[in-house]
Amino acid sequence: GWQASMKSGSLSYILPCNRLPVQLISQVRVYTSNGQKKDLGSEDTNGSTPEETPNKAGTGQDMSNAGQKQSFIKEPIQVKVKAVLKKREYGPKYTQNNFITGVRAINEFCLKSSDLDQLRKIKRRSPHDDTETFTVYLRSDVEAKSLEVWGSPEALARERKRRKEAEIKYRENLFRNQRLLWEYKEFFGNTKPRSSAAAMFFKGPGKVVMVAICINGLNFFFKLLAWVYTGSASMFSEAIHSLADTCNQALLALGISQSARTPDPSHPYGFTNMRYIASLISGVGIFMMGAGLSWYHGIIGLLQPHPIESLLWAYCILAGSLVSEGATLLVAINEIRRSARAKGLSFYQYVVQSRDPSTNVVLLEDAAAVLSVAVAATCMGLTSLTGNPYYDSVGSLGVGTLLGTVSAFLIYTNTEALLGRSIQPEQLQRLTELLESDPVVRAIHDVKATDMGMSKVRFKAEVDFDGRVVTRSYLEKQDIEQLLQEIQQVKTLEELEAFMLKHGENIIDTLGAEVDRLEKDLKQRNPDVRHVDLEIL
């Protein structure tokens, strides 16, 4: 796009229309045909330009042009230079100025806590909710101290290797050191108060499960006696049903106890899903042990029918079982109603979403038990009236089908919960609106809210922060007059770089504080939200 033209003895360069014009001529050199050159001087102060007469190009050249002078007019030069900082190569030495916590300094550099007392201490914003600031150290200071303590990098490497071997040996003997670890936790305390396992079974789902275990255990014993006395297939199915309920509810009690364990490094989000795992295994157990054996006994009764003895005692035991199972069912219904009301859900929604898997299992098992007692009593009554044992076998098949339906529902709901389903759209909308209403947030993207079980929600979102609001939040905490004086004292690029690095790091800290504030607000206004991950775009 460059265009060159020679007009009236002047040399001009014309740039394309979308470029800024820049004069590039500071000195003009004229070459003659014999290779000699003449330098034209710089421009005069009054704007006049020197003139030069070129030599003749040859003998055939017109002598009339010998006296003609070519004048080169030079205009003032205007060049704008963009000042940029030289790109800095960040090597390993630069990362030595990174911060390191005291725990990492002791573990990674084999130091003692007393060794850190002599080092420079820096207060930084804490990533934990319970503390605002915590102490860190410069990595370069820690490395220098470790060399001072151990003498050489080789000695430090040997000590690290020795400690690593000791750690491996300790892990191999971890089973024998379980008691020592428990005493260690009791002495130094835990991050959260550990709830007593016994206290969990006197209220809420634990109380419902314990009541169900006691009642179903007694029902199994009496139904087994009735089956031995009468030989009824329906009574056998009822006895197997009560045994399956007792075993499954004992498994639920184990899941409730395990779910209260304190989170550890291997399970940082805790053990709350143990209730869903126990409920899932319970559903599989009902299907295999309850439904399977009932179907088997019913089919055998159809293929090989045999007369049934007096059913009087069987009716009495079924009546007692109906009362006891109904009482347990009412306890489970009242507990679910109370929990559903606290969550703002209907009874049906609370059951389908499997908010409390332990209570759900008790509810469904006892509902199936009441219905199966009615089915068994009806079929046994038809057998007594007609004398046909096929009705009793059909009752056994009906009880097995009912148990299979309940087990399929339990397997489905608990599997969905373990897979990590999303929370309700209304609740997700409330969380989104809370973030978007904050002045520091421009927009949020890729929002995910996962139900971790037992009313614990993990929220994740990518947040586009408004840098102007963050900067203003930082400036509101500064002395503006002093900041203006610092700006006025900046004269060189080095001083500008130091000024920007200082306040740039402080603005980044302010951004981190804003992230912590948003996470804290989400948790306070939504108690179900236990873990918040906000990613900065």
Side-chain angles (χ1 to χ4, degrees):
W2 288 91
Q3 298 177 0
S5 64
M6 182 73 70
K7 295 181 180 179
S8 302
S10 64
L11 181 64
S12 63
Y13 289 91
I14 302 174
L15 289 168
C17 60
N18 61 343
R19 304 283 185 178
L20 292 176
V22 179
Q23 301 293 333
L24 300 176
I25 305 175
S26 62
Q27 188 176 17
V28 179
R29 293 177 179 175
V30 179
Y31 290 83
T32 61
S33 59
N34 57 4
Q36 297 178 353
K37 65 179 179 179
K38 296 181 181 181
D39 294 340
L40 297 182
S42 302
E43 63 174 333
D44 298 334
T45 57
N46 57 3
S48 62
T49 59
E51 297 180 356
E52 290 289 344
T53 304
N55 295 330
K56 295 180 178 179
T59 57
Q61 191 177 11
D62 189 6
M63 297 301 296
S64 63
N65 295 332
Q68 186 179 1
K69 296 181 180 180
Q70 298 179 357
S71 60
F72 298 92
I73 302 174
K74 297 185 297 179
E75 298 179 358
I77 303 172
Q78 298 178 358
V79 179
K80 293 184 178 180
V81 180
K82 184 179 179 181
V84 295
L85 290 175
K86 182 181 179 181
K87 186 177 180 180
R88 177 171 295 177
E89 299 293 338
Y90 296 101
K93 291 184 178 180
Y94 186 83
T95 58
Q96 291 179 356
N97 293 325
N98 290 353
F99 299 135
I100 186 173
T101 61
V103 176
R104 286 189 59 192
I106 293 175
N107 293 335
E108 295 182 12
F109 294 92
C110 305
L111 297 176
K112 300 178 181 179
S113 58
S114 58
D115 296 331
L116 303 179
D117 295 339
Q118 305 172 1
L119 302 182
R120 289 177 290 179
K121 299 179 177 63
I122 302 172
K123 293 292 184 180
R124 299 293 294 175
R125 182 176 51 86
S126 174
H128 307 291
D129 296 335
D130 53 350
T131 56
E132 295 183 357
T133 60
F134 73 130
T135 303
V136 295
Y137 304 88
L138 286 175
R139 188 180 185 90
S140 57
D141 293 348
V142 175
E143 290 179 351
K145 187 64 178 179
S146 65
L147 293 179
E148 177 185 344
V149 171
W150 296 103
S152 65
E154 292 77 12
L156 177 60
R158 288 194 298 269
E159 178 63 19
R160 286 175 175 172
K161 182 178 179 181
R162 186 190 67 81
R163 294 193 179 190
K164 188 67 176 178
E165 293 175 352
E167 182 181 358
I168 294 175
K169 184 177 179 181
Y170 170 77
R171 290 181 178 179
E172 292 175 352
N173 300 328
L174 185 60
F175 179 76
R176 292 180 294 177
N177 295 330
Q178 288 295 329
R179 183 64 183 178
L180 180 62
L181 286 176
W182 180 83
E183 293 177 355
Y184 175 83
K185 290 181 180 180
E186 290 294 324
F187 180 78
F188 288 96
N190 292 318
T191 56
K192 289 184 178 181
R194 189 171 183 177
S195 58
S196 174
M200 296 183 62
F201 295 104
F202 291 99
K203 60 181 180 179
K207 176 182 177 181
V208 176
V209 171
M210 292 306 297
V211 170
I213 289 176
C214 297
I215 291 179
N216 285 318
L218 292 175
N219 287 339
F220 166 70
F221 177 75
F222 288 111
K223 287 178 182 179
L224 184 64
L225 292 179
W227 171 71
V228 172
Y229 178 73
T230 62
S232 170
S234 296
M235 186 56 64
F236 175 79
S237 297
E238 280 298 305
I240 293 299
H241 183 188
S242 297
L243 176 62
D245 288 349
T246 304
C247 296
N248 290 329
Q249 286 153 7
L251 184 62
L252 293 178
L254 178 62
I256 293 175
S257 176
Q258 292 296 313
S259 65
R261 292 171 58 187
T262 304
D264 56 28
S266 300
H267 305 85
Y269 291 106
F271 299 86
T272 54
N273 281 339
M274 281 300 299
R275 294 195 183 192
Y276 292 97
I277 295 174
S279 300
L280 178 62
I281 298 174
S282 176
V284 175
I286 293 174
F287 184 82
M288 295 180 62
M289 187 174 178
L293 288 178
S294 297
W295 284 331
Y296 171 78
H297 207 74
I299 293 173
I300 293 298
L302 291 175
L303 297 177
Q304 300 177 1
H306 59 278
I308 300 176
E309 302 295 334
S310 175
L311 299 177
L312 177 62
W313 287 105
Y315 290 138
C316 295
I317 292 174
L318 284 179
S321 176
L322 181 63
V323 173
S324 60
E325 296 284 4
T328 309
L329 179 62
L330 289 177
V331 172
I333 290 175
N334 291 332
E335 177 63 26
I336 290 180
R337 282 180 175 174
R338 184 186 63 80
S339 301
R341 193 181 305 112
K343 297 296 179 182
L345 300 174
S346 65
F347 184 89
Y348 175 77
Q349 290 175 332
Y350 192 89
V351 174
V352 171
Q353 295 175 15
S354 189
R355 292 282 180 166
D356 187 352
S358 302
T359 308
N360 273 5
V361 171
V362 175
L363 171 71
L364 295 175
E365 285 183 348
D366 288 339
V370 171
L371 292 177
S372 64
V373 166
V375 171
T378 301
C379 293
M380 290 170 60
L382 291 175
T383 300
S384 299
L385 293 175
T386 62
N388 187 353
Y390 286 108
Y391 288 109
D392 186 61
S393 299
V394 171
S396 180
L397 292 176
V399 172
T401 302
L402 183 61
L403 293 178
T405 303
V406 171
S407 65
F409 179 79
L410 290 176
I411 292 172
Y412 171 76
T413 54
N414 288 283
T415 301
E416 286 291 313
L418 288 173
L419 287 176
R421 60 194 171 193
S422 177
I423 62 176
Q424 294 299 310
E426 296 80 9
Q427 187 179 5
L428 182 60
Q429 182 67 23
R430 288 197 300 269
L431 296 175
T432 303
E433 291 176 353
L434 177 61
L435 279 180
E436 290 180 335
S437 63
D438 197 280
V440 79
V441 177
R442 276 181 175 165
I444 59 175
H445 309 278
D446 193 22
V447 180
K448 295 183 177 68
T450 306
D451 188 353
M452 300 176 60
M454 299 306 299
S455 300
K456 293 184 179 180
V457 176
R458 181 180 180 181
F459 182 82
K460 176 262 179 186
E462 294 185 1
V463 184
D464 184 5
F465 285 90
D466 191 336
R468 297 169 298 179
V469 178
V470 175
T471 305
R472 183 175 293 276
S473 176
Y474 168 69
L475 292 177
E476 290 174 353
K477 303 175 184 178
Q478 305 300 315
D479 187 348
I480 300 298
E481 294 183 356
Q482 181 181 357
L483 187 61
L484 181 59
Q485 293 177 1
E486 291 182 11
I487 296 174
Q488 293 174 348
Q489 292 175 0
V490 174
K491 303 298 182 184
T492 64
L493 292 179
E494 290 76 11
E495 293 177 352
L496 177 62
E497 180 184 7
F499 175 83
M500 294 299 296
L501 292 177
K502 171 187 174 182
H503 293 281
E505 183 177 4
N506 294 337
I507 291 176
I508 293 300
D509 290 341
T510 303
L511 178 59
E514 294 293 336
V515 173
D516 292 342
R517 179 182 62 81
L518 290 175
E519 293 179 351
K520 187 175 181 180
D521 289 345
L522 284 174
K523 293 179 181 179
Q524 286 181 347
R525 299 188 184 186
N526 300 271
D528 291 347
V529 178
R530 303 295 180 88
H531 307 283
V532 181
D533 299 323
L534 298 182
E535 300 179 3
I536 302 174
L537 283 179

